[in-house]
């Protein structure tokens, strides 16, 4: 699987970054490097760790709810 980094900057200036295809904690190492880079330009960011297994379960639950609700 290819490694991907998707960056979204919202209208209110918030930065949201999603990492994909990284093994283990490698995505957090990349996130810390990005944090240091942005800080050199005066942009303060916070790295928030998420549990990918929990997110996957939430997505599955949403898909199941959608399929049940759309059948009738």
């Amino acid at each position: 699987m290819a490694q991907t980094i998707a960056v979204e900057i919202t209208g209110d200036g918030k930065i949201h970054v999603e990492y994909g295809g990284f093994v283990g904690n490698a995505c957090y190492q990349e996130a810390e490097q990005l944090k240091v880079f942005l800080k050199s330009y005066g942009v303060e960011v916070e790295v928030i760790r998420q549990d990918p297994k929990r997110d996957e379960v939430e997505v599955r639950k949403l898909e199941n709810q959608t399929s049940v609700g759309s059948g009738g």
Side-chain angles (χ1 to χ4, degrees):
M1 176 179 213
Q3 294 177 339
T4 60
I5 301 174
V7 179
E8 175 186 8
I9 303 173
T10 64
D12 60 357
K14 291 185 180 180
I15 300 171
H16 180 79
V17 183
E18 289 189 20
Y19 296 83
F22 289 85
V23 177
N25 286 329
C27 60
Y28 297 114
Q29 294 169 353
E30 292 292 328
E32 289 297 331
Q33 288 180 7
L34 179 59
K35 178 181 176 178
V36 169
F37 175 77
L38 291 173
K39 187 173 184 168
S40 73
Y41 286 94
V43 178
E44 293 292 328
V45 298
E46 176 185 5
V47 176
I48 301 171
R49 293 180 177 240
Q50 294 182 340
D51 181 0
K53 290 182 182 177
R54 194 186 98 216
D55 292 343
E56 183 178 333
V57 170
E58 288 177 1
V59 168
R60 285 184 183 159
K61 285 181 182 176
L62 179 60
E63 288 173 353
N64 288 340
Q65 289 172 357
T66 302
S67 63
V68 171
S70 63

